[in-house]
Amino acid sequence: MLQETDQTTDFAYDVPSDPAGIAARVAIFGDHGRVRDEIAQDLGGAGFRTVDGGELANLIEGPITLLGDVVMVDCPMVDAVTLAALSRLDMRVTRSGARLIVCTSMDALDDVFAALDQSDPQILVQPSRADRLVCVGQILADIGSARVREMTREDRLNLLHLSRQVEAIAHKLEGLSGPEGSADFADGSAGRENVRSVTSGSDRARKATELGGSDAAPPDPRVVRQLIAARQLRAQFFDGELFSDPAWDMLLDLTAAHGEGQRVSVTSLCIAACVPATTALRWLKQMVESGVFIRGADPEDKRRAFIALSDDSLQAMARYFAEVETPLAKAA
């Protein structure tokens, strides 16, 4: 049985709101009571009302009849039961119109991402207490804005940039620095699967017709990798945050992987973005929504998901590299 932390007992699922019309109730699920209490304490201190949903097993054993406008789940590790609970919650949240936040780890990220394919969740990777609080505040503000007017693409991009600034401030306050996980796999190669041999130059030329009639052949993946390495080299001489551009870094990585015949996991792409994983996931979400990236399921294992460039993006990247390489070849 779920219990609301402010002891109100007459709550039934509806879109709860304060006098200003902005929802401010968050349901919290997780297997560790200490973490649930910590989240409730932080949110309560910020003025949000919370509902203690209990352990993740509660999402499987009975009907999910009590939610908030926002549902936060803490699952740093996953197993079959956890994934089943997340999948069921994913469907329930989608039907109810609530918003979902899932806090997890890099080790569990691919499994969590694949399990949540309907509710458009916000995934936080190894979040701090400030990260969780900021995320809830941003989502509730977004809900309030959406009730006033439909957000445009420009609005979403502005919100994304603003969230990056807020997140940076939160990390500064907690003395955190540097991108998560970028040291182990500088080229974002973790979590890759070869699906065909590396494409030769003649194959790339032949496949130009597959790029929607573009005259440009797909770029040599070795050239793209050299560009990625050059971009990463800047961090040895300047503060990496000065040149942070996760969207472009992910575009380059997916372009190289396409030419190499590799499928790219979410974890791998987050590493390639050279920013904290939570930030990378926000950009990835925006790129999928705008049609730059596409999300695809593993045909052999539906519990896994991969990210790739859309056909239009492949065409655009082919034309971009053709434009860049042409003057360089003439200069040589």
Side-chain angles (χ1 to χ4, degrees):
M1 179 66 67
L2 306 180
Q3 297 179 349
E4 190 174 354
T5 55
D6 63 1
Q7 304 302 314
T8 301
T9 59
D10 59 350
F11 176 72
Y13 181 78
D14 196 357
V15 179
S17 60
D18 61 18
I22 299 177
R25 187 168 294 177
V26 184
I28 305 168
F29 291 88
D31 289 337
H32 301 287
R34 179 189 61 79
V35 176
R36 296 199 310 272
D37 291 342
E38 180 180 271
I39 295 172
Q41 179 182 354
D42 291 342
L43 294 178
F48 302 125
R49 300 172 69 188
T50 62
V51 177
D52 185 0
E55 297 181 357
L56 295 176
N58 293 342
L59 299 171
I60 296 179
E61 296 174 351
I64 307 174
T65 58
L66 189 60
L67 295 175
D69 242 7
V70 178
V71 181
M72 177 172 284
V73 177
D74 178 67
C75 57
M77 302 301 294
V78 296
D79 54 20
V81 174
T82 302
L83 293 176
L86 289 176
S87 295
R88 187 171 184 231
L89 180 62
D90 187 47
M91 292 186 291
R92 179 67 179 89
V93 166
T94 302
R95 293 170 183 170
S96 68
R99 301 288 291 275
L100 179 61
I101 302 172
V102 179
C103 305
T104 189
S105 64
M106 284 294 286
D107 289 340
L109 176 57
D110 283 325
D111 291 330
V112 169
F113 184 87
L116 305 172
D117 61 353
Q118 299 184 46
S119 62
D120 192 24
Q122 176 67 61
I123 302 176
L124 305 181
V125 180
Q126 297 170 325
S128 67
R129 297 174 71 170
D131 291 333
R132 294 189 302 232
L133 185 60
V134 167
C135 184
V136 171
Q138 290 171 340
I139 285 180
L140 291 175
D142 187 15
I143 291 174
S145 297
R147 289 175 180 173
V148 176
R149 62 183 176 85
E150 194 69 25
M151 294 184 70
T152 65
R153 181 177 180 180
E154 182 179 357
D155 292 329
R156 292 196 300 269
L157 286 173
N158 288 336
L159 182 62
L160 192 59
H161 283 290
L162 178 60
S163 70
R164 287 189 65 202
Q165 294 173 11
V166 173
E167 183 180 76
I169 292 172
H171 282 294
K172 292 291 185 183
L173 289 175
E174 296 194 358
L176 302 179
S177 63
E180 299 174 6
S182 60
D184 293 334
F185 302 97
D187 63 351
S189 59
R192 301 292 173 82
E193 288 192 6
N194 287 318
V195 294
R196 60 183 183 276
S197 60
V198 176
T199 308
S200 68
S202 59
D203 287 336
R204 286 193 299 276
R206 176 178 54 81
K207 288 188 175 182
T209 56
E210 298 177 9
L211 295 175
S214 170
D215 293 331
D220 187 331
R222 293 170 296 184
V223 173
V224 183
R225 290 293 178 203
Q226 289 173 358
L227 178 57
I228 292 172
R231 288 174 59 79
Q232 294 171 345
L233 187 62
R234 296 176 307 189
Q236 296 184 20
F237 306 97
F238 301 96
D239 184 348
E241 293 184 2
L242 290 174
F243 305 103
S244 177
D245 192 354
W248 183 240
D249 286 328
M250 288 190 286
L251 270 168
L252 289 174
D253 188 68
L254 288 174
T255 300
H258 176 79
E260 295 163 346
Q262 296 180 334
R263 293 185 294 193
V264 183
S265 69
V266 175
T267 299
S268 174
L269 196 57
C270 287
I271 293 171
C274 296
V275 292
T278 296
T279 303
L281 286 168
R282 290 197 183 106
W283 279 98
L284 191 156
K285 176 181 176 182
Q286 178 65 34
M287 300 291 268
V288 171
E289 289 178 353
S290 62
V292 178
F293 297 167
I294 56 174
R295 169 180 176 149
D298 186 341
E300 299 177 357
D301 186 351
K302 298 301 182 182
R303 297 170 299 177
R304 305 178 65 186
F306 296 95
I307 304 298
L309 292 177
S310 67
D311 289 341
D312 287 344
S313 297
L314 286 170
Q315 293 177 37
M317 292 301 285
R319 292 194 296 269
Y320 167 79
F321 275 93
E323 290 291 330
V324 171
E325 292 175 352
T326 299
L328 292 177
K330 290 181 179 178

